PDB file of all heavy atoms in Angstrom:
ATOM      1  N   PRO A   1     -77.952  75.868  -7.094  1.00 98.00           N
ATOM      2  CA  PRO A   1     -79.150  75.481  -6.291  1.00 98.00           C
ATOM      3  C   PRO A   1     -80.368  75.763  -7.079  1.00 98.00           C
ATOM      4  O   PRO A   1     -80.515  76.912  -7.726  1.00 98.00           O
ATOM      5  CB  PRO A   1     -78.999  76.272  -5.053  1.00 98.00           C
ATOM      6  CG  PRO A   1     -77.496  76.798  -5.009  1.00 98.00           C
ATOM      7  CD  PRO A   1     -77.064  76.753  -6.521  1.00 98.00           C
ATOM      8  N   ALA A   2     -81.405  74.974  -7.005  1.00 98.00           N
ATOM      9  CA  ALA A   2     -82.724  75.262  -7.760  1.00 98.00           C
ATOM     10  C   ALA A   2     -83.274  76.541  -7.383  1.00 98.00           C
ATOM     11  O   ALA A   2     -83.912  77.181  -8.189  1.00 98.00           O
ATOM     12  CB  ALA A   2     -83.576  74.149  -7.549  1.00 98.00           C
ATOM     13  N   GLY A   3     -83.040  77.045  -6.121  1.00 98.00           N
ATOM     14  CA  GLY A   3     -83.557  78.223  -5.670  1.00 98.00           C
ATOM     15  C   GLY A   3     -83.072  79.386  -6.250  1.00 98.00           C
ATOM     16  O   GLY A   3     -83.461  80.640  -6.079  1.00 98.00           O
ATOM     17  N   SER A   4     -81.872  79.334  -7.002  1.00 98.00           N
ATOM     18  CA  SER A   4     -81.188  80.449  -7.612  1.00 98.00           C
ATOM     19  C   SER A   4     -81.509  80.600  -9.145  1.00 98.00           C
ATOM     20  O   SER A   4     -81.038  81.504  -9.845  1.00 98.00           O
ATOM     21  CB  SER A   4     -79.604  80.246  -7.598  1.00 98.00           C
ATOM     22  OG  SER A   4     -79.253  80.282  -6.195  1.00 98.00           O
ATOM     23  N   VAL A   5     -82.458  79.781  -9.515  1.00 98.00           N
ATOM     24  CA  VAL A   5     -82.859  79.835 -11.030  1.00 98.00           C
ATOM     25  C   VAL A   5     -84.251  79.911 -11.169  1.00 98.00           C
ATOM     26  O   VAL A   5     -85.102  79.141 -10.650  1.00 98.00           O
ATOM     27  CB  VAL A   5     -82.275  78.502 -11.595  1.00 98.00           C
ATOM     28  CG1 VAL A   5     -82.488  78.486 -13.211  1.00 98.00           C
ATOM     29  CG2 VAL A   5     -80.831  78.189 -11.316  1.00 98.00           C
ATOM     30  N   VAL A   6     -84.706  80.701 -12.109  1.00 98.00           N
ATOM     31  CA  VAL A   6     -86.142  80.808 -12.598  1.00 98.00           C
ATOM     32  C   VAL A   6     -86.173  81.016 -14.097  1.00 98.00           C
ATOM     33  O   VAL A   6     -85.154  81.234 -14.696  1.00 98.00           O
ATOM     34  CB  VAL A   6     -86.757  82.072 -11.863  1.00 98.00           C
ATOM     35  CG1 VAL A   6     -86.767  81.907 -10.256  1.00 98.00           C
ATOM     36  CG2 VAL A   6     -86.161  83.470 -12.274  1.00 98.00           C
ATOM     37  N   ARG A   7     -87.320  80.991 -14.597  1.00 98.00           N
ATOM     38  CA  ARG A   7     -87.533  81.243 -16.003  1.00 98.00           C
ATOM     39  C   ARG A   7     -87.118  82.726 -16.341  1.00 98.00           C
ATOM     40  O   ARG A   7     -87.190  83.604 -15.486  1.00 98.00           O
ATOM     41  CB  ARG A   7     -89.044  80.923 -16.394  1.00 98.00           C
ATOM     42  CG  ARG A   7     -89.391  79.519 -16.462  1.00 98.00           C
ATOM     43  CD  ARG A   7     -90.800  79.398 -16.917  1.00 98.00           C
ATOM     44  NE  ARG A   7     -91.201  77.975 -16.945  1.00 98.00           N
ATOM     45  CZ  ARG A   7     -91.591  77.254 -15.952  1.00 98.00           C
ATOM     46  NH1 ARG A   7     -91.826  77.864 -14.820  1.00 98.00           N
ATOM     47  NH2 ARG A   7     -91.839  75.874 -16.012  1.00 98.00           N
ATOM     48  N   SER A   8     -86.645  82.923 -17.578  1.00 98.00           N
ATOM     49  CA  SER A   8     -86.477  84.188 -18.006  1.00 98.00           C
ATOM     50  C   SER A   8     -87.654  84.900 -18.220  1.00 98.00           C
ATOM     51  O   SER A   8     -88.761  84.458 -18.542  1.00 98.00           O
ATOM     52  CB  SER A   8     -85.710  84.068 -19.368  1.00 98.00           C
ATOM     53  OG  SER A   8     -84.325  83.565 -19.091  1.00 98.00           O
ATOM     54  N   PRO A   9     -87.617  86.294 -18.141  1.00 98.00           N
ATOM     55  CA  PRO A   9     -88.819  87.162 -18.284  1.00 98.00           C
ATOM     56  C   PRO A   9     -89.522  86.951 -19.681  1.00 98.00           C
ATOM     57  O   PRO A   9     -88.682  86.788 -20.630  1.00 98.00           O
ATOM     58  CB  PRO A   9     -88.382  88.505 -18.134  1.00 98.00           C
ATOM     59  CG  PRO A   9     -87.040  88.407 -17.265  1.00 98.00           C
ATOM     60  CD  PRO A   9     -86.477  87.181 -17.693  1.00 98.00           C
ATOM     61  N   ALA A  10     -90.687  86.983 -19.818  1.00 98.00           N
ATOM     62  CA  ALA A  10     -91.392  86.854 -21.089  1.00 98.00           C
ATOM     63  C   ALA A  10     -91.018  88.021 -21.970  1.00 98.00           C
ATOM     64  O   ALA A  10     -90.806  89.143 -21.637  1.00 98.00           O
ATOM     65  CB  ALA A  10     -92.981  87.012 -20.876  1.00 98.00           C
ATOM     66  N   GLY A  11     -90.675  87.633 -23.231  1.00 97.00           N
ATOM     67  CA  GLY A  11     -90.232  88.604 -24.274  1.00 97.00           C
ATOM     68  C   GLY A  11     -88.850  89.048 -24.238  1.00 97.00           C
ATOM     69  O   GLY A  11     -88.392  89.767 -24.934  1.00 97.00           O
ATOM     70  N   SER A  12     -88.083  88.456 -23.240  1.00 98.00           N
ATOM     71  CA  SER A  12     -86.636  88.975 -23.085  1.00 98.00           C
ATOM     72  C   SER A  12     -85.578  88.090 -24.003  1.00 98.00           C
ATOM     73  O   SER A  12     -85.941  86.852 -24.265  1.00 98.00           O
ATOM     74  CB  SER A  12     -86.183  88.954 -21.692  1.00 98.00           C
ATOM     75  OG  SER A  12     -86.158  87.495 -21.193  1.00 98.00           O
ATOM     76  N   THR A  13     -84.504  88.635 -24.342  1.00 98.00           N
ATOM     77  CA  THR A  13     -83.437  87.877 -24.888  1.00 98.00           C
ATOM     78  C   THR A  13     -82.570  87.319 -23.798  1.00 98.00           C
ATOM     79  O   THR A  13     -82.795  87.767 -22.675  1.00 98.00           O
ATOM     80  CB  THR A  13     -82.546  88.704 -25.878  1.00 98.00           C
ATOM     81  OG1 THR A  13     -82.013  89.722 -25.091  1.00 98.00           O
ATOM     82  CG2 THR A  13     -83.368  89.426 -26.927  1.00 98.00           C
ATOM     83  N   ASP A  14     -81.793  86.382 -24.155  1.00 98.00           N
ATOM     84  CA  ASP A  14     -80.926  85.940 -23.010  1.00 98.00           C
ATOM     85  C   ASP A  14     -80.043  86.917 -22.420  1.00 98.00           C
ATOM     86  O   ASP A  14     -79.777  86.994 -21.315  1.00 98.00           O
ATOM     87  CB  ASP A  14     -80.083  84.639 -23.591  1.00 98.00           C
ATOM     88  CG  ASP A  14     -80.848  83.459 -23.760  1.00 98.00           C
ATOM     89  OD1 ASP A  14     -82.076  83.427 -23.350  1.00 98.00           O
ATOM     90  OD2 ASP A  14     -80.411  82.489 -24.303  1.00 98.00           O
ATOM     91  N   ALA A  15     -79.510  87.886 -23.341  1.00 98.00           N
ATOM     92  CA  ALA A  15     -78.631  88.877 -22.870  1.00 98.00           C
ATOM     93  C   ALA A  15     -79.412  89.816 -22.000  1.00 98.00           C
ATOM     94  O   ALA A  15     -78.963  90.271 -20.908  1.00 98.00           O
ATOM     95  CB  ALA A  15     -78.119  89.758 -24.035  1.00 98.00           C
ATOM     96  N   GLU A  16     -80.611  90.152 -22.275  1.00 98.00           N
ATOM     97  CA  GLU A  16     -81.436  91.066 -21.392  1.00 98.00           C
ATOM     98  C   GLU A  16     -81.729  90.299 -20.121  1.00 98.00           C
ATOM     99  O   GLU A  16     -81.674  90.847 -19.063  1.00 98.00           O
ATOM    100  CB  GLU A  16     -82.789  91.291 -21.971  1.00 98.00           C
ATOM    101  CG  GLU A  16     -82.646  92.308 -23.333  1.00 98.00           C
ATOM    102  CD  GLU A  16     -83.774  92.463 -24.121  1.00 98.00           C
ATOM    103  OE1 GLU A  16     -84.666  91.609 -24.120  1.00 98.00           O
ATOM    104  OE2 GLU A  16     -83.958  93.471 -24.674  1.00 98.00           O
ATOM    105  N   ALA A  17     -82.077  89.055 -20.225  1.00 98.00           N
ATOM    106  CA  ALA A  17     -82.434  88.254 -18.917  1.00 98.00           C
ATOM    107  C   ALA A  17     -81.211  88.250 -17.965  1.00 98.00           C
ATOM    108  O   ALA A  17     -81.296  88.265 -16.821  1.00 98.00           O
ATOM    109  CB  ALA A  17     -82.862  86.910 -19.207  1.00 98.00           C
ATOM    110  N   SER A  18     -80.000  88.221 -18.546  1.00 98.00           N
ATOM    111  CA  SER A  18     -78.746  88.057 -17.681  1.00 98.00           C
ATOM    112  C   SER A  18     -78.528  89.389 -16.924  1.00 98.00           C
ATOM    113  O   SER A  18     -77.762  89.319 -16.040  1.00 98.00           O
ATOM    114  CB  SER A  18     -77.666  87.776 -18.523  1.00 98.00           C
ATOM    115  OG  SER A  18     -77.053  88.858 -19.285  1.00 98.00           O
ATOM    116  N   THR A  19     -79.201  90.461 -17.229  1.00 98.00           N
ATOM    117  CA  THR A  19     -78.856  91.789 -16.521  1.00 98.00           C
ATOM    118  C   THR A  19     -79.725  91.870 -15.205  1.00 98.00           C
ATOM    119  O   THR A  19     -79.440  92.841 -14.464  1.00 98.00           O
ATOM    120  CB  THR A  19     -79.251  93.003 -17.417  1.00 98.00           C
ATOM    121  OG1 THR A  19     -80.707  92.969 -17.744  1.00 98.00           O
ATOM    122  CG2 THR A  19     -78.548  92.872 -18.760  1.00 98.00           C
ATOM    123  N   LEU A  20     -80.691  90.956 -15.082  1.00 98.00           N
ATOM    124  CA  LEU A  20     -81.445  91.210 -13.907  1.00 98.00           C
ATOM    125  C   LEU A  20     -81.258  90.531 -12.585  1.00 98.00           C
ATOM    126  O   LEU A  20     -81.358  91.176 -11.538  1.00 98.00           O
ATOM    127  CB  LEU A  20     -82.995  90.684 -14.370  1.00 98.00           C
ATOM    128  CG  LEU A  20     -84.165  90.761 -13.376  1.00 98.00           C
ATOM    129  CD1 LEU A  20     -84.314  92.326 -12.866  1.00 98.00           C
ATOM    130  CD2 LEU A  20     -85.476  90.166 -13.908  1.00 98.00           C
ATOM    131  N   PRO A  21     -80.800  89.225 -12.497  1.00 98.00           N
ATOM    132  CA  PRO A  21     -80.756  88.555 -11.204  1.00 98.00           C
ATOM    133  C   PRO A  21     -79.954  89.245 -10.140  1.00 98.00           C
ATOM    134  O   PRO A  21     -80.449  89.577  -9.011  1.00 98.00           O
ATOM    135  CB  PRO A  21     -80.158  87.245 -11.588  1.00 98.00           C
ATOM    136  CG  PRO A  21     -80.530  86.936 -13.016  1.00 98.00           C
ATOM    137  CD  PRO A  21     -80.347  88.332 -13.634  1.00 98.00           C
ATOM    138  N   MET A  22     -78.677  89.554 -10.329  1.00 98.00           N
ATOM    139  CA  MET A  22     -77.904  90.089  -9.144  1.00 98.00           C
ATOM    140  C   MET A  22     -78.265  91.433  -8.836  1.00 98.00           C
ATOM    141  O   MET A  22     -78.602  91.847  -7.650  1.00 98.00           O
ATOM    142  CB  MET A  22     -76.335  90.073  -9.621  1.00 98.00           C
ATOM    143  CG  MET A  22     -75.437  90.341  -8.412  1.00 98.00           C
ATOM    144  SD  MET A  22     -75.028  92.124  -8.311  1.00 98.00           S
ATOM    145  CE  MET A  22     -73.912  92.256  -9.771  1.00 98.00           C
ATOM    146  N   ASN A  23     -78.354  92.341  -9.815  1.00 98.00           N
ATOM    147  CA  ASN A  23     -78.680  93.693  -9.456  1.00 98.00           C
ATOM    148  C   ASN A  23     -80.085  93.951  -9.025  1.00 98.00           C
ATOM    149  O   ASN A  23     -80.478  94.598  -8.095  1.00 98.00           O
ATOM    150  CB  ASN A  23     -78.481  94.642 -10.572  1.00 98.00           C
ATOM    151  CG  ASN A  23     -77.035  95.127 -10.789  1.00 98.00           C
ATOM    152  OD1 ASN A  23     -76.332  94.890 -11.876  1.00 98.00           O
ATOM    153  ND2 ASN A  23     -76.325  95.454  -9.796  1.00 98.00           N
ATOM    154  N   GLY A  24     -81.065  93.125  -9.622  1.00 98.00           N
ATOM    155  CA  GLY A  24     -82.410  93.120  -9.242  1.00 98.00           C
ATOM    156  C   GLY A  24     -82.671  92.675  -7.841  1.00 98.00           C
ATOM    157  O   GLY A  24     -83.282  93.249  -7.022  1.00 98.00           O
ATOM    158  N   LEU A  25     -81.893  91.590  -7.395  1.00 98.00           N
ATOM    159  CA  LEU A  25     -82.095  90.998  -6.067  1.00 98.00           C
ATOM    160  C   LEU A  25     -81.435  91.858  -5.059  1.00 98.00           C
ATOM    161  O   LEU A  25     -81.986  92.089  -3.949  1.00 98.00           O
ATOM    162  CB  LEU A  25     -81.495  89.636  -6.137  1.00 98.00           C
ATOM    163  CG  LEU A  25     -82.345  88.430  -6.517  1.00 98.00           C
ATOM    164  CD1 LEU A  25     -81.498  87.199  -6.642  1.00 98.00           C
ATOM    165  CD2 LEU A  25     -83.550  88.285  -5.803  1.00 98.00           C
ATOM    166  N   THR A  26     -80.336  92.527  -5.489  1.00 98.00           N
ATOM    167  CA  THR A  26     -79.770  93.566  -4.553  1.00 98.00           C
ATOM    168  C   THR A  26     -80.534  94.670  -4.261  1.00 98.00           C
ATOM    169  O   THR A  26     -80.815  95.147  -3.079  1.00 98.00           O
ATOM    170  CB  THR A  26     -78.312  93.942  -5.116  1.00 98.00           C
ATOM    171  OG1 THR A  26     -77.493  92.980  -5.427  1.00 98.00           O
ATOM    172  CG2 THR A  26     -77.611  94.858  -4.078  1.00 98.00           C
ATOM    173  N   ALA A  27     -81.235  95.059  -5.369  1.00 98.00           N
ATOM    174  CA  ALA A  27     -82.148  96.282  -5.186  1.00 98.00           C
ATOM    175  C   ALA A  27     -83.367  95.863  -4.303  1.00 98.00           C
ATOM    176  O   ALA A  27     -83.749  96.655  -3.494  1.00 98.00           O
ATOM    177  CB  ALA A  27     -82.695  96.776  -6.558  1.00 98.00           C
ATOM    178  N   ARG A  28     -83.871  94.651  -4.557  1.00 98.00           N
ATOM    179  CA  ARG A  28     -85.075  94.166  -3.834  1.00 98.00           C
ATOM    180  C   ARG A  28     -84.642  93.940  -2.341  1.00 98.00           C
ATOM    181  O   ARG A  28     -85.402  94.437  -1.342  1.00 98.00           O
ATOM    182  CB  ARG A  28     -85.492  92.790  -4.384  1.00 98.00           C
ATOM    183  CG  ARG A  28     -86.724  92.182  -3.646  1.00 98.00           C
ATOM    184  CD  ARG A  28     -87.950  93.054  -3.885  1.00 98.00           C
ATOM    185  NE  ARG A  28     -88.230  93.984  -2.842  1.00 98.00           N
ATOM    186  CZ  ARG A  28     -89.085  94.968  -2.912  1.00 98.00           C
ATOM    187  NH1 ARG A  28     -89.710  95.125  -4.043  1.00 98.00           N
ATOM    188  NH2 ARG A  28     -89.332  95.797  -2.019  1.00 98.00           N
ATOM    189  N   LEU A  29     -83.540  93.512  -2.063  1.00 98.00           N
ATOM    190  CA  LEU A  29     -82.964  93.382  -0.634  1.00 98.00           C
ATOM    191  C   LEU A  29     -82.845  94.637  -0.052  1.00 98.00           C
ATOM    192  O   LEU A  29     -83.162  94.856   1.222  1.00 98.00           O
ATOM    193  CB  LEU A  29     -81.681  92.495  -0.663  1.00 98.00           C
ATOM    194  CG  LEU A  29     -81.033  92.367   0.688  1.00 98.00           C
ATOM    195  CD1 LEU A  29     -81.898  91.571   1.718  1.00 98.00           C
ATOM    196  CD2 LEU A  29     -79.667  91.573   0.420  1.00 98.00           C
ATOM    197  N   ALA A  30     -82.239  95.663  -0.703  1.00 98.00           N
ATOM    198  CA  ALA A  30     -82.127  97.097  -0.204  1.00 98.00           C
ATOM    199  C   ALA A  30     -83.450  97.522   0.326  1.00 98.00           C
ATOM    200  O   ALA A  30     -83.462  98.126   1.440  1.00 98.00           O
ATOM    201  CB  ALA A  30     -81.337  97.908  -1.140  1.00 98.00           C
ATOM    202  N   LEU A  31     -84.336  97.430  -0.480  1.00 98.00           N
ATOM    203  CA  LEU A  31     -85.777  97.961  -0.163  1.00 98.00           C
ATOM    204  C   LEU A  31     -86.300  97.193   1.043  1.00 98.00           C
ATOM    205  O   LEU A  31     -86.935  97.687   1.941  1.00 98.00           O
ATOM    206  CB  LEU A  31     -86.730  97.970  -1.332  1.00 98.00           C
ATOM    207  CG  LEU A  31     -86.308  98.969  -2.415  1.00 98.00           C
ATOM    208  CD1 LEU A  31     -87.019  98.757  -3.684  1.00 98.00           C
ATOM    209  CD2 LEU A  31     -86.660 100.492  -1.859  1.00 98.00           C
ATOM    210  N   ASP A  32     -86.112  95.922   1.024  1.00 98.00           N
ATOM    211  CA  ASP A  32     -86.787  95.038   2.024  1.00 98.00           C
ATOM    212  C   ASP A  32     -86.094  95.360   3.479  1.00 98.00           C
ATOM    213  O   ASP A  32     -86.623  95.376   4.392  1.00 98.00           O
ATOM    214  CB  ASP A  32     -86.558  93.635   1.761  1.00 98.00           C
ATOM    215  CG  ASP A  32     -87.448  93.059   0.643  1.00 98.00           C
ATOM    216  OD1 ASP A  32     -88.375  93.927   0.100  1.00 98.00           O
ATOM    217  OD2 ASP A  32     -87.223  91.910   0.142  1.00 98.00           O
TER     218      ASP A  32
END
């Protein structure tokens, strides 16, 4: 789904970018 995809962070490698979505969103949801 298009809603699940965004640009990778500026200055990141693909490997670095892949570490963010699931854990980052889980952390954001926990705080919310």
Side-chain angles (χ1 to χ4, degrees):
S4 299
V5 185
V6 301
R7 288 183 178 86
S8 294
S12 68
T13 65
D14 288 352
E16 289 169 337
S18 76
T19 68
L20 179 58
M22 187 269 287
N23 283 129
L25 283 173
T26 307
R28 183 68 266 163
L29 177 58
L31 289 165
D32 290 350

